[in-house]
Amino acid sequence: MPTREHRFAAVDLGASSGRVIVGEVAPERLTLHEAHRFPNDPVRLLGTLHWDILSLYKGVLNGLKAAAVHTGDSLTSIGIDTWAVDYGLLAADGTLLANPVHYRDTRTTGATEKVAAALPPQALYAATGIQHLPFNTIYQLMAAQGTPALTAAHRLLLIPDLISYWLTGEPGTELTNASTTQLIDPRTRGWATPVAEALGIDLSLFPPLRRPGDPAGTLRQDVLAETGLTTPVPVTAVGSHDTASAVVGVPATTPDFAYIATGTWSLAGLELDAPVLTEESRAANFTNELGVDGTVRYLRNIMGLWMLQECIRTWNAEGTRTGGTSTTGSADLTALLQAATHATPLRSVVDAGDPAFIAPHHMPDRIADACRRTGQPVPRTPAETTRCVLDSLALAHRRAIEDATRLSGRTVSAVHIVGGGVHNTLLCQLTADACGLPVIAGPAEAAALGNVLVQARTAGAITGGLPELRALLHSTQPLRQYEPTGDHSAWDRAAARLGDAQVTRAATGQGDEEEPCA
């Protein structure tokens, strides 16, 4: 008899786009099919930057409709993962009170000081283990105190939980994403009630916690009608923070690995069994986010390919010649990376954790300014700027992994790069060179794969813990290995150029303030 194949829909929402991906799973088999992709375009209204959450929900429905067609109406279950920290507020009847505010909005200006006045940073980190990011949920809630929406709110749902609620009508708070709110105790994996009380945050706004693998309801009848699905389809809680799912999707074969979840952002670190809550860890701005199967994602946020994306956006807007253009006149990334390969290595590097690079627009100018401040040559061409960005990201990857191993007492034999950055072969090779370790690149769709694997295990389609799930990935997904090359001491000298500035930022509590994996 043929082995039964199960089909799962992974709803994966990122900061720039969303998609619904169908995973087909059987023993020794795991394949993905992208059913539908749709844009995620934030909207600025009356000076506030919002997520267009209704458009995203419509994209999810259209994606489930496409998944129903692809699978012949035979979905086993659905899982949802998105970016972290942001939320929607609901009235008692379930009505959305306002479009969720984008974490990049400036409304949290001054909230850091309000939180610190009520709870010193050292005490906050000791209680939650979460790095300082000015848009963490606690700062958003402090900024929202006294506003009509928060005053009237009956429920607060993080973004993946909001989508799940609209699909099923059953509210819940998934744990891996809840840990990014800075309101979870990573030791007990429950709410950090003393923190909430000190900040005046009402934890009753949050529905009960769910763990990955818990049931999250069944599709409502109106959703079935909208999507063309005819049989009851359960929604399963997965690692709803996309980085939690992406780390499940790391195809490691041994436990002594480091990971870098790449794309617009890089999240570099280790998978641990317990949090690291030392003052040294806080000063290094490492976070202890909760993962699947009782794990801790001990990592640092790094600016990622956002810097290059913003450079390309600027060059396209200004009509700058980049050494290669597409048929539409926009920058050709392939040609640009090829030109960067031949640019002088490590000529200039910048601190990819510097908050100066967070905001959009004029990125080449800000990179040039950073080079001037540190007495380095200013990049003269797009190829030189691109090489500067990629060299700098490789250095930031190296520093994060070295710091993580030092602070945790762990050793690393290989670095796994997953996410969109696996397609950037130059970045992968530079990371291997900088770290002096082999880099295994792939899979690109790690978040969707991790989402599908948790669903599949819950449904009984596969069995085992994280090592068994990763073994299936390793045997079914295309991977590429990069070995270190070149003079490793050159990276030491480049790192030394940035050392003083980085130490100063760490000592003053200015961390790597980037997005939580979007």
Side-chain angles (χ1 to χ4, degrees):
M1 295 290 291
T3 302
R4 182 188 172 194
E5 187 172 70
H6 293 259
R7 296 174 177 86
F8 304 91
V11 175
D12 181 25
L13 303 184
S16 60
S17 68
R19 56 264 181 90
V20 175
I21 294 178
V22 174
E24 299 180 352
V25 182
E28 311 302 323
R29 185 164 182 267
L30 173 58
T31 61
L32 294 185
H33 167 79
E34 185 178 290
H36 181 55
R37 181 180 290 266
F38 46 96
N40 182 0
D41 294 323
V43 178
R44 189 170 295 280
L45 177 64
L46 300 178
T48 299
L49 188 63
H50 295 273
W51 297 105
D52 191 352
I53 195 68
L54 296 183
S55 175
L56 290 174
Y57 181 63
K58 182 64 174 178
V60 170
L61 293 178
N62 288 338
L64 293 178
K65 184 184 300 183
V69 172
H70 176 74
T71 62
D73 191 16
S74 62
L75 280 179
T76 302
S77 69
I78 299 165
I80 302 161
D81 68 79
T82 79
W83 67 93
V85 306
D86 291 334
Y87 59 85
L89 297 171
L90 304 182
D93 64 355
T95 302
L96 184 66
L97 292 170
N99 271 336
V101 178
H102 196 297
Y103 66 86
R104 285 192 187 277
D105 186 74
T106 58
R107 68 173 178 155
T108 56
T109 301
T112 296
E113 291 75 16
K114 290 176 63 178
V115 169
L119 196 63
Q122 296 85 346
L124 180 58
Y125 189 85
T128 67
I130 298 299
Q131 66 182 319
H132 170 71
L133 296 169
F135 41 68
N136 284 347
T137 312
I138 59 167
Y139 301 116
Q140 295 196 37
L141 289 173
M142 292 295 280
Q145 284 182 347
T147 60
L150 185 57
T151 301
H154 176 74
R155 279 278 184 244
L156 183 155
L157 294 178
L158 299 169
I159 298 299
D161 301 320
L162 179 60
I163 299 295
S164 178
Y165 172 70
W166 282 339
L167 292 175
T168 67
E170 297 189 22
T173 307
E174 193 280 315
L175 181 61
T176 69
N177 203 27
S179 70
T180 71
T181 64
Q182 221 163 348
L183 289 167
I184 292 288
D185 184 330
R187 296 156 297 195
T188 66
R189 303 178 81 87
W191 294 111
T193 303
V195 170
E197 290 176 347
L199 301 180
I201 293 173
D202 182 6
L203 288 177
S204 69
L205 287 170
F206 292 88
L209 290 170
R210 292 171 174 153
R211 271 67 176 174
D214 285 350
T218 304
L219 292 187
R220 295 161 47 100
Q221 286 299 317
D222 59 310
V223 174
L224 292 174
E226 178 82 13
T227 59
L229 293 163
T230 60
T231 57
V233 180
V235 174
T236 299
V238 298
S240 71
H241 183 196
D242 51 10
T243 308
S245 281
V247 173
V248 174
V250 172
T253 56
T254 61
D256 59 340
F257 69 93
Y259 59 81
I260 307 172
T262 62
T264 304
W265 311 97
S266 288
L267 296 102
L270 309 176
E271 183 175 75
L272 302 180
D273 297 325
V276 180
L277 302 176
T278 63
E279 176 60 18
E280 189 179 12
S281 178
R282 183 195 71 84
N285 215 34
F286 269 80
T287 200
N288 294 269
E289 297 170 357
L290 299 184
V292 172
D293 288 2
T295 58
V296 172
R297 289 174 285 123
Y298 187 60
L299 60 88
R300 176 185 287 154
N301 282 25
I302 298 165
M303 204 68 62
L305 288 168
W306 159 259
M307 296 172 69
L308 182 56
Q309 292 164 353
E310 282 300 297
C311 285
I312 291 173
R313 192 195 315 273
T314 298
W315 293 327
N316 285 340
E318 295 175 349
T320 302
R321 294 186 62 83
T322 61
T325 55
S326 70
T327 55
T328 62
S330 59
D332 182 339
L333 180 59
T334 300
L336 189 59
L337 293 175
Q338 183 63 30
T341 301
H342 299 290
T344 303
L346 299 171
R347 178 174 180 265
S348 302
V349 290
V350 298
D351 180 3
D354 192 334
F357 300 122
I358 291 178
H361 308 307
H362 310 298
M363 188 65 72
D365 292 340
R366 278 181 279 153
I367 290 170
D369 288 343
C371 292
R372 290 190 192 94
R373 288 197 306 271
T374 52
Q376 299 178 89
V378 173
R380 299 161 298 184
T381 66
E384 289 184 352
T385 300
T386 299
R387 184 60 187 249
C388 174
V389 168
L390 297 182
D391 283 344
S392 301
L393 290 181
L395 270 178
H397 293 165
R398 160 186 151 138
R399 179 177 175 237
I401 292 169
E402 288 181 345
D403 287 349
T405 57
R406 173 177 55 84
L407 294 166
S408 67
R410 291 278 296 275
T411 59
V412 168
S413 64
V415 178
H416 283 265
I417 292 183
V418 299
V422 306
H423 299 303
N424 191 318
T425 58
L426 179 55
L427 177 61
C428 293
Q429 183 62 61
L430 292 174
T431 298
D433 297 343
C435 295
L437 291 167
V439 164
I440 298 95
E445 299 291 353
L449 284 163
N451 181 323
V452 165
L453 286 170
V454 170
Q455 292 187 68
R457 186 175 63 177
T458 301
I462 53 177
T463 59
L466 290 175
E468 287 74 26
L469 302 187
R470 289 169 174 153
L472 179 60
L473 286 170
H474 192 270
S475 65
T476 60
Q477 303 305 305
L479 307 174
R480 179 174 177 181
Q481 184 157 326
Y482 298 80
E483 296 294 338
T485 61
D487 179 8
H488 193 67
S489 64
W491 292 94
D492 296 337
R493 292 191 294 272
R497 283 183 248 158
L498 299 180
D500 292 342
Q502 292 170 331
V503 168
T504 299
R505 285 201 308 107
T508 57
Q510 299 175 28
D512 300 279
E513 298 174 354
E514 289 83 46
E515 175 184 9
C517 189

